[in-house]
Each structure stands twice: as structure tokens, then as C-alpha cells.
Amino acid sequence: MDDRVLVERQLGRPPRAFSRVVVRCPFGRPAVTEQSPYDRSGEPFPTTYYVTCRHLVAAISRLEAAGGVERWTEEARRDPALAESLEHATEEQRGVRKKLAGAETGRDDGDSLALGIGGSRNPGQLKCLHAHVAFALARPGYLLGERIAAEIVQLWPEKCCLDGLAAAL
């Protein structure tokens, strides 16, 4: 089945700036996608790596609801290794976005290409744990994102989250 169709099923809507699947779950289905820096209309899409696995989205949402964004922001400020990891990943993110955009600058004349992970203008203040986990899964070696992901009790579900949805296609 086409990845775009599967991602649409996972999200419950068409993906806005879908480029390709970069991480698959143990069941071979999309888990993290790579997004173009701009959608078809030229609007910026600042989240390069996007979690689509419903199980993973829910697990990360629970971390955020429990104060995870604030806690991990503080951890990154306090721990030099995490701060360095975040700084390096932010620079890597900017490079990836510029490479993906090529000569395209979108409606913002390229301003959004300088944003950090999850579209953050201030990388020291985390914005979305989903984006950090997605970045860590897509680009292994990102310590902060890997630590956030390690907090998830069961990273992958026992059964594919698309099992019931794919049959309905």
C-alpha cells in the first residue's frame, strides 16, 4: 500500500508537506515521516520529522501532558551533554531543511529554514517532544531525543496501530 495513503490513515487527514517515510515501525508501517520545508502552496512547514505512528504519538502526548516539555527543557539547561546534543541537532536540523528546500524559499522568503527542531525559534525552550523523538529516530545520535524516547515504557505497540485502519481502505 502507498505510504502516503497509510500516513493519511494514521493522521486522519491528508499530510500537508509529506516527502517520504524515514522510520518504519517493527511492522513495516510508517512511524516517522520527513516533511518538505514548504507545502504545495509555499506555506512553511517547520517540522521536518513528524511522528505518524498512533501508538507513539499517544505515548509522547502522555509525556507532554505530565509536564515533559518543561522538565526536558530544564534537563537540557542543566546537563551539559544534553545541551550540546540539542545545539548540534538544531544546527543539523537547519542544514537538513536548507538541503530539502534547495532553491525554494516559500512565502516566508526562507525565514523558516533557520528554525530549530519542531519549528522552535528558541532552541533552549523545547516546544514539542514529538518533534524531538522523531528527530532522534530519524537521525540516531541525538542524545536529548533518545533520552526522551527512552522514557516511553513501550516504544512500539504489540500490534500494528494500522491493523484495523488499513483493512478499511
Side-chain angles (χ1 to χ4, degrees):
M1 184 167 295
D2 179 75
D3 283 340
R4 179 181 279 280
V5 172
L6 292 173
V7 169
E8 184 171 341
R9 280 288 189 197
Q10 288 173 315
L11 299 176
R13 61 171 172 71
R16 237 182 80 204
F18 177 82
S19 175
R20 66 188 179 110
V21 173
V22 293
V23 177
R24 293 183 182 279
C25 72
F27 306 100
R29 301 292 175 79
V32 176
T33 59
E34 180 181 84
Q35 309 308 119
S36 297
Y38 299 100
D39 68 15
R40 291 176 194 237
S41 71
E43 285 297 317
F45 194 91
T47 305
T48 303
Y49 300 113
Y50 199 90
V51 176
T52 61
C53 168
R54 288 174 165 217
H55 169 84
L56 195 50
V57 168
I60 299 166
S61 293
R62 287 191 293 276
L63 289 179
E64 287 186 351
V69 172
E70 296 80 10
R71 186 167 44 79
W72 282 107
T73 296
E74 185 55 36
E75 282 294 312
R77 284 187 188 133
R78 188 185 60 71
D79 184 325
L82 294 180
E84 183 180 328
S85 162
L86 176 58
E87 184 178 330
H88 175 74
T90 298
E91 286 307 311
E92 188 176 351
Q93 159 77 4
R94 290 172 178 153
V96 167
R97 287 181 57 71
K98 287 175 184 171
K99 183 178 178 183
L100 289 172
E104 187 179 2
T105 58
R107 291 184 180 186
D108 67 351
D109 293 323
D111 288 343
S112 63
L113 298 177
L115 296 174
I117 296 171
S120 178
R121 289 205 183 276
N122 174 8
Q125 174 61 52
L126 302 189
K127 188 173 167 182
C128 171
L129 297 185
H130 294 82
H132 289 274
V133 171
F135 192 93
L137 291 172
R139 303 187 73 86
Y142 173 39
L143 182 62
L144 176 59
E146 289 171 354
R147 291 248 181 105
I148 295 167
E151 201 173 293
I152 298 169
V153 176
Q154 187 177 351
L155 191 62
W156 304 112
E158 292 179 20
K159 182 177 139 184
C160 181
C161 60
L162 274 175
D163 280 354
L165 297 173
L169 294 174

